[in-house]
Amino acid sequence: MKVLVTGAAGFIGANVVKILENKGAQVYALDDFSSANFKNLEGAKAEVVCADVCDEKAIAKLPAVDAVIHEAAITDTTFKDDKKMIMVNFEGFKNIFNFAARKKAKLVYISSAAVYGSGPSPMKETQKPQPLNAYAYSKYLCDCFSMPIMKKKILPLLLGIRYFNVYGPGEHHKGAAASMIYQLYLQMKAGKRPCVFKFGEQKRDFIYVLDAARITVDALVAKTNTIVNVGTGKARSFNDIISAINTSMKTNLEPDYFDNPYVSAYQNLTEADITHLKKVIKNPPQYSLEDGISDYVKNHLLAKQP
Ligand SMILES: NC(=O)c1ccc[n+]([C@@H]2O[C@H](COP(=O)([O-])OP(=O)(O)OC[C@H]3O[C@@H](n4cnc5c(N)ncnc54)[C@H](O)[C@@H]3O)[C@@H](O)[C@H]2O)c1
């Protein structure tokens, strides 16, 4: 099987490339390297294509493939240029959609749990989206574009994925936009007490990248055109993260709580409803927070410096 992966040198894209190659797929790894880490593609056999998803001519020159996994996006939610954000994330998506349609290829594209904004949890795919920033809005536009097309069955498969909070190997280049788990690890590795808002009981649905990437690849054999949440279905607290990192690093660093300046607008709980995911994808996420953090810290972060 030939698969085009966009955003392939990014955090999740590179993990997707590895899984596809382990399954014997021939991969075209497309990235413009604007916010990637080329080291993420170390060991990959993929043909690397350095191109911008907004560049129609470059996309038109790509070889025929059986499937496309579209991960490329501006992923920093604090990115200030709304025009560029929507251009890359939405117009770039449409270019990739048109490419898949011309090649009659399956398309799995990446939306985000950000589309739910401050909506109620557990978050269901059917609830009203409330995008709160240009990033969330750009993903919402991709879903709005896709939903009517899903009914028409123009592509052999059109499936959207709403990742929740993904963490794991390959996220180093994201800096301040990397996961809370990576940020807390860096503080604790430096021997500092981990800083979190009072009193660390805010909860998020953290999913290990090995699960998120594996589910993304499994989505290629889904039988329905649809949009699915990709989370664990179990929100966990910042205190839980600190405790799991302490266990993995054999430290005993107490949280350092500070006042949350955004307290009135802050969401204390985001959690995926994964009922639909379990219907669409055979194997739901396998890693608990403790197992994911243990693998990440011991086998990746402590094993080799990024
Ligand atoms: N990490 C998360 O927790 C999370 C949560 C929800 C959704 N997502 C989505 O998952 C996907 C992957 O995110 P990630 O965390 O791996 O982020 P990432 O920033 O590591 O990866 C995005 C990749 O896209 C590339 N890219 C950016 N603009 C491009 C362009 N114009 N043309 C070609 N390539 C371009 C970047 O260089 C980068 O390698 C994104 O679509 C993101 O919005 C991620």
Side-chain angles (χ1 to χ4, degrees):
M1 186 169 63
K2 291 183 182 174
V3 186
L4 169 69
V5 180
T6 72
F11 166 37
I12 307 172
N15 281 282
V16 163
V17 170
K18 279 186 197 123
I19 294 171
L20 283 168
E21 292 196 337
N22 286 340
K23 283 176 170 277
Q26 183 184 341
V27 178
Y28 296 92
L30 184 144
D31 206 298
D32 73 349
F33 294 86
S34 55
S35 69
N37 183 354
F38 67 89
K39 289 183 186 165
N40 281 345
L41 287 173
E42 210 170 63
K45 292 189 228 83
E47 183 173 326
V48 174
V49 181
C50 183
D52 182 338
V53 289
C54 296
D55 182 343
E56 281 181 62
K57 283 185 190 153
I59 300 302
K61 280 189 208 150
L62 292 169
V65 290
D66 305 296
V68 180
I69 295 180
H70 178 52
E71 299 270 355
I74 294 178
T75 59
D76 180 352
T77 56
T78 63
F79 188 77
K80 291 283 177 266
D81 185 343
D82 289 4
K83 178 180 171 186
K84 182 148 193 216
M85 174 81 87
I86 294 168
M87 195 62 87
V88 170
N89 293 7
F90 182 47
E91 296 302 326
F93 160 73
K94 284 194 278 182
N95 270 344
I96 295 296
F97 171 86
N98 289 332
F99 167 77
R102 284 197 302 274
K103 303 294 181 195
K104 298 187 172 41
K106 295 180 177 187
L107 174 59
V108 171
Y109 75 92
I110 311 305
S111 175
S112 171
V115 299
Y116 297 119
S118 51
S121 271
M123 292 160 158
K124 292 187 176 58
E125 293 85 350
T126 47
Q127 80 190 47
K128 192 172 177 289
Q130 293 179 24
L132 298 176
N133 52 37
Y135 168 77
Y137 181 66
S138 70
K139 296 292 184 175
Y140 165 74
L141 289 177
C142 298
D143 291 346
C144 292
F145 174 90
S146 301
M147 278 186 288
I149 295 171
M150 285 177 180
K151 290 185 194 131
K152 291 189 202 152
K153 302 196 173 154
I154 290 172
L155 303 182
L157 176 75
L158 177 57
L159 190 142
I161 282 182
R162 290 178 179 163
Y163 295 136
F164 277 65
N165 295 70
V166 188
Y167 67 96
E171 62 172 318
H172 166 71
H173 65 280
K174 295 185 70 168
S179 73
M180 183 75 178
I181 290 164
Y182 185 61
Q183 311 295 348
L184 290 171
Y185 163 80
L186 288 180
Q187 294 172 29
M188 294 167 76
K189 179 75 178 52
K192 295 182 189 146
R193 287 175 61 195
C195 292
V196 283
F197 295 148
K198 280 180 184 168
F199 284 101
E201 281 307 308
Q202 303 84 350
K203 290 183 176 162
R204 296 282 177 271
D205 192 326
F206 298 102
I207 179 162
Y208 195 38
V209 72
L210 300 194
D211 268 335
R214 192 262 308 154
I215 289 169
T216 306
V217 172
D218 285 355
L220 290 175
V221 294
K223 299 278 181 270
T224 18
N225 291 343
T226 190
I227 294 176
V228 275
N229 285 340
V230 172
T232 62
K234 290 189 189 82
R236 300 295 302 276
S237 71
F238 298 162
N239 286 333
D240 290 336
I241 297 175
I242 293 168
S243 163
I245 298 175
N246 267 324
T247 305
S248 301
M249 293 210 309
K250 297 191 173 62
T251 50
N252 197 14
L253 291 158
E254 292 286 328
D256 185 4
Y257 298 121
F258 65 102
D259 287 323
N260 179 353
Y262 318 104
V263 74
S264 55
Y266 197 78
Q267 266 200 300
N268 283 319
L269 170 70
T270 59
E271 182 175 82
D273 181 316
I274 60 166
T275 315
H276 187 49
L277 172 68
K278 286 178 180 163
K279 284 186 196 145
V280 176
I281 310 282
K282 276 197 189 127
N283 297 320
Q286 308 290 317
Y287 286 87
S288 66
L289 182 78
E290 284 72 14
D291 291 345
I293 288 182
S294 170
D295 183 62
Y296 186 22
V297 172
K298 291 182 192 160
N299 299 329
H300 299 275
L301 293 172
L302 293 179
K304 57 172 181 186
Q305 290 305 315

